[in-house]
Amino acid sequence: MKAITTSPPFIRTDNTPAAIMGRVLLCLTSLLICSSFYYGARMLVNAAVSVLCCIICEYAVSRMARLPNTVKDLSAVVTGLSIILLLPATTPLWLIALLACFAILIAKAPFGGLGHNPFNPSACAVAFATIGWPELMFKYPSVPQTLPLFSSDMSGVSFGTSVVESLRNFSLPPYRLSDIFFGAVPNKAGTGFFLVIFVCAAFLIMKKAIRWRITASCLAVFILIAFLFPRAGTGFTAVFYELFSGYILFAAVFMITDPATSAKSLPGQYIYGAFCAVLISVMRRYGVYAEGTCFAIIICNAVAPAIDRITVKTAGRRHVINAEQK
Amino acid sequence: MADVHSRGISIKQNKSDLLAKNIYAAGLEDELFFSVTKGAEILVTKGEKLAQNRLLAADEKNDLHFYSPANATVTDIYDSNHPLMGEVSIIKMSSSKAGISPRLEEDAESMRDLTGGMPERERKLDSVKASHIIDVLDSRSLYRKMTAFAKSGVRALCINAIEDESFSCSETALLIHKFAEVSEGLHLLAEAAGIKESAICIYKLRAADLSGLAKRDGVVVVSGKYPVSARYTAQAKRTGFVGAQTCYDYYNYVNEGERQTKVFVTVGGDRLKAPKNMLVPVGTPIGKLLDKCEPAKEAGIIVVGDGPMTGRYTNDLETPVTVGMKSILLLKPVEIKNITNCWGCAECARVCPQGLMPLAIARFARHNMTQEAAQLGAERCIGCGCCSYICSGGIDPMRFILEAKGEIEQIEQTEPKPAAQQKPRKALFARKKELPKSDEQ
Amino acid sequence: MQNKNNRLEEPKSESKYRAKIRGSMQHRLDKYRERSNANIERGLARTINLKDYKSEFLSKDEPETVGRVFMNGLLLDNPVLFNALGAVLIVGVCSTVQNAVLLSLLVLVLLIVNEFMASLFYKNAPPEIRLMAHVLTAALVLLPAGAVAINANATALNSFGIYLPLLCVSGLVTVRSEVFAIKHTLKLSMADALGNGAGFAWVAILIGAARELLSFGSVAGYPITGKVFGAGINYPFATFLMIGFLAALLKHLRRRHYQKNADAQTPSEEVQSDD
């Protein structure tokens, strides 16, 4: 028997987690399609493996915990898609399957599933991959080329250096600016299509599926840091290289704005975004790896509840003072 | 036009059809269930035959007087619960439609008093007192309210017809159809209390524009997201608010000598096929009214009061219509889920007009952690229901927050605040000799 | 009580002004002393009452036998998995089976000697002194034991790094002595030491084997798969994950065990500690 409200309000929106996740999923799918133009059908195979593993794990977990079927809220599909977009297209399929299972079985399910996970599952999976298999994670195929469909033997594939790595060596990337902007340089599979990401961000913000405050403050602070402390080039060129390299933009739109793990109070969201940007910049400059955004995201997720606690309390105190003054 | 607040929710306003129709006059039912407040002294006995406008009960403490809506015979008197008034005594009457409505002697006396030798203002307020009208906004005595306004130096008297909840629109309909009477009643009231300015606040609705209500004299159109009414009344300074029906009733009392025995209600909701605005005798059971509006076959829940956001649930079809019941709705049942279904989307924090964090407070309140809930400002909740409306997890945070709020208020009443917070300012200006003593303690 | 004894002695000749100042100072000093005493007591209470395993897992009427105490240490109240005692040693040291074996032998020796001393000699000492005594005993035992271990396998012991001296302040040794040994007889304490040592040992060796297999492709030096699965397994976070999931598994088994055995005696839920 279902519980029915006997206390107001008696009308509700038709908003569900599945609706919000569906909008994010739409954007991720558009990125997947873009990347499959560059890398061939291999990306679709990757996506199928990852999403299938995520769904199977999620379903198994929901059966084990005797919960209603939690696959329906689509969060597992979103996790699976964002994992493969954050890996190089040449990643072997067994690793993708392993990471998908890791994201669901270790980073998400033990804490209670959607909304109760302290860390972003896809960021956890990518961090795990970066630590465990760095030689696979930082080898980017040059674009465009058609990759082998299933085999993990990449002997016929040409590889190139990514923009992040040349920035790390304080040298100018050997690519044209337009190539960088349209993602036609070696990079993670689905994070180089900045034009599409901008459109997605606009769509998601308009539909209120993500928290624009986090994205805005993160990008603003990141641009400021890149402008003040350039690694290659000067002024706006440096900002261009920093912003359109690696997956900072993808993370700012899709990952740090994840409703379940980011800061929830409105003033806290600005602080959270700024903190993310600072950490990402620091990780890029002084970290062990060329791209440490996933570690920065995990640390930020851990800090988010504390930010909430501080900001909400100060907000409450301020109001009390106002009331007394009146 | 005033835009009140950007935070809140935008609810679908489905009232245009309702407002375009005329107000439907519901006839007298055979059986009336008149509800009077618990503290009132009941002046009729079982089996007694009553004339219309006969005083049924008087609650002197709150200055509420209840008048019979029709010629009737009292068949039963018993205690019951009313969703809006709480514990009530119900006077069950069987009405007789024959007979005219005689004007009571008491009324004639009060009218005579108007011409007496008292100062003008007191004389006018006296007519408000004699009318014994109950304000539809908060179900309080109009006389008490007006004297309070006169004392506290209220500058403007305002009709609050800002109905920003969906379905409910009886006040706006009244304004559209009986604007002259309402505005005359408002002027009379303002004059009685010695208030110079007066205005009529309505919500920005398409129907109001179409009918020309928005362009009338003294009408202020308010726009904004949902808890507009609460926001607007809280922000307005030195303004007194009354209901549109109250003004209409006062006008009728002064000009026709009629008592407040009929109310305007909206009978609507998404489970009714022919929703209407009705003029209903007080005491009519709501079941009869719902039957007149062709209820759908699917199961529905009955909500009475201000509207779907702040109304009250009832499952009793004999619940009588009272003054202050602006709408009777038959709505689609809403399923609620366990609080563990919260997945942290924080939509509630985005829409909360008070800037609270409903998801956090609700979680604390659910686990009886009242102190933590109080730290997050649970007592500032105004009960607008935005958080529960917007919740994508399907839970009901507002219920938990209001529970915590009630508990906090109880604690504050029983226990005095700690001394550190009550530190008197005198200490700053106190003599120096006293200071070391307090230090040693 | 204590405060009055600790009061500064009043000098005989003193001006009124000075007496006043001293009085106020004395007042504050008393306050601070009181507060710090309370803090110390609270901290000690927290350490000592870390886990009253008897009230939580066994009904109070049941007598403690050697076998039951041993089984508690080994499985049902495993120090690493349920109380996170000595987890830092496993995370820091047990990257191979060899290290794990060496470490668990050292821990076993320390536990036996410490609990022996505690159950025989420290019973009547005040709690402040007792804790220091446990640490000192452990340090005194570690000197000869460490020397023997270095003779046996110097390279492995070198890889212990800072964790070798940290053994003597390890929670596993001090807390077991403080919680169990000072309240029980020598016989039961020995059973507890052996049980906890064995409980630590199997967890350490299991995790050491898993880490070695995944990061070097061998177990106890014998190559099995021969290739490295992933370098990340040898980082601390993977070990924390392993401990967390092992603890969850054992907790589940323990709950079923108790539900079978006792009627209403179910161990309280604890927050899963992984990641």
Side-chain angles (χ1 to χ4, degrees), chain B residues 380-402:
Chain B
R380 282 194 284 135
C381 175
I382 55 171
C384 63
C386 287
C387 44
S388 295
Y389 175 85
I390 206 80
C391 181
S392 61
I395 63 175
D396 193 353
M398 189 183 82
R399 202 180 54 181
F400 298 115
I401 297 172
L402 286 184

Side-chain angles (χ1 to χ4, degrees), chain A residues 94 98 102 105-107 110-111 119 128 131-133 289, chain C residues 228-233 235 237-238 241 245 272 274-275:
Chain A
W94 62 266
L98 179 79
F102 179 89
L105 293 183
I106 289 177
F111 300 99
F119 307 109
F128 181 58
I131 294 174
W133 297 271
Y289 307 109
Chain C
V228 181
F229 177 69
I233 307 300
Y235 285 90
F237 87 94
L241 283 180
F245 277 88
Q272 271 189 10
D274 53 9
D275 221 335

Side-chain angles (χ1 to χ4, degrees), chain B residues 332-370:
Chain B
K332 199 171 90 180
V334 177
E335 185 193 340
I336 52 167
K337 286 174 183 158
N338 195 339
I339 195 156
T340 50
N341 221 35
C342 172
W343 66 292
C345 66
E347 287 285 288
C348 45
R350 185 172 64 77
V351 298
C352 179
Q354 291 289 86
L356 304 176
M357 283 266 284
L359 75 167
I361 304 174
R363 216 171 272 179
F364 283 134
R366 171 72 182 74
H367 295 106
N368 296 327
M369 294 156 85
T370 315

Side-chain angles (χ1 to χ4, degrees), chain C residues 2 8-9 22 24 33 62 68 76 95 97 100 102 146 149 156 170 181 191 202 208 235 252-253:
Chain C
Q2 269 189 339
L8 301 174
E9 278 181 20
R22 195 180 48 78
S24 70
R33 202 168 288 142
E62 278 184 282
R68 186 168 283 138
L76 299 177
S95 54
V97 175
L102 206 55
S170 152
W202 76 259
Y235 285 90
H252 178 67
L253 294 179

Side-chain angles (χ1 to χ4, degrees), chain A residues 31-45:
Chain A
L31 283 177
L32 177 70
I33 291 168
C34 290
S35 68
S36 64
F37 281 126
Y38 278 169
Y39 299 111
R42 165 75 181 209
M43 279 309 291
L44 300 179
V45 174

Side-chain angles (χ1 to χ4, degrees), chain A residues 80-317:
Chain A
L81 263 188
S82 46
I83 285 173
I84 59 126
L85 294 179
L86 287 168
L87 299 176
T90 49
T91 315
L93 294 180
W94 62 266
L95 185 55
I96 289 176
L98 179 79
L99 292 180
C101 295
F102 179 89
I104 300 293
L105 293 183
I106 289 177
K108 189 177 167 196
F111 300 99
L114 175 64
H116 305 280
N117 47 333
F119 307 109
N120 189 329
S122 41
C124 282
V126 174
F128 181 58
T130 312
I131 294 174
W133 297 271
E135 71 283 356
L136 293 174
M137 284 305 109
F138 295 107
K139 220 160 88 176
Y140 305 112
S142 45
V143 213
Q145 64 178 326
T146 312
L147 300 175
L149 255 189
F150 298 106
S151 110
S152 51
D153 177 28
M154 293 294 166
S155 50
V157 177
S158 64
F159 291 94
T161 51
S162 68
V163 182
V164 202
E165 272 165 40
S166 14
L167 284 180
R168 192 171 169 73
N169 302 329
F170 297 100
S171 57
L172 280 177
Y175 305 107
R176 281 181 302 168
L177 293 187
S178 63
D179 279 354
I180 293 177
F181 185 71
F182 291 109
V185 293
N187 201 347
K188 306 265 180 190
T191 58
F193 312 100
F194 301 107
L195 212 58
V196 184
I197 292 179
F198 278 132
V199 174
C200 289
F203 170 74
L204 290 176
I205 288 170
M206 210 173 66
K207 289 283 181 185
K208 285 168 186 161
I210 63 171
R211 296 173 185 156
W212 65 268
R213 290 174 181 82
I214 296 177
T215 309
S217 87
C218 174
L219 289 182
V221 173
F222 187 81
I223 287 171
L224 189 71
I225 292 174
F227 186 77
L228 293 180
F229 310 103
R231 285 195 289 181
T234 49
F236 289 105
T237 331
V239 172
F240 183 87
Y241 282 135
E242 289 284 358
L243 195 60
F244 297 110
S245 64
Y247 55 100
I248 161 76
L249 216 58
F250 183 88
V253 174
F254 291 104
M255 295 177 79
I256 61 173
T257 57
D258 171 21
T261 53
S262 57
K264 291 169 178 69
S265 71
L266 299 193
Q269 289 175 13
Y270 293 111
I271 300 174
Y272 177 80
F275 185 61
C276 273
V278 172
L279 262 188
I280 290 172
S281 308
V282 169
M283 289 269 181
R284 278 188 167 195
R285 269 148 234 253
Y286 308 109
V288 181
Y289 307 109
E291 179 66 289
T293 309
C294 47
F295 304 109
I297 292 170
I298 291 175
I299 294 171
C300 285
N301 288 343
V303 174
I307 292 176
D308 273 345
R309 208 167 297 139
I310 294 166
T311 49
V312 167
K313 271 193 183 172
T314 51
R317 211 175 292 140

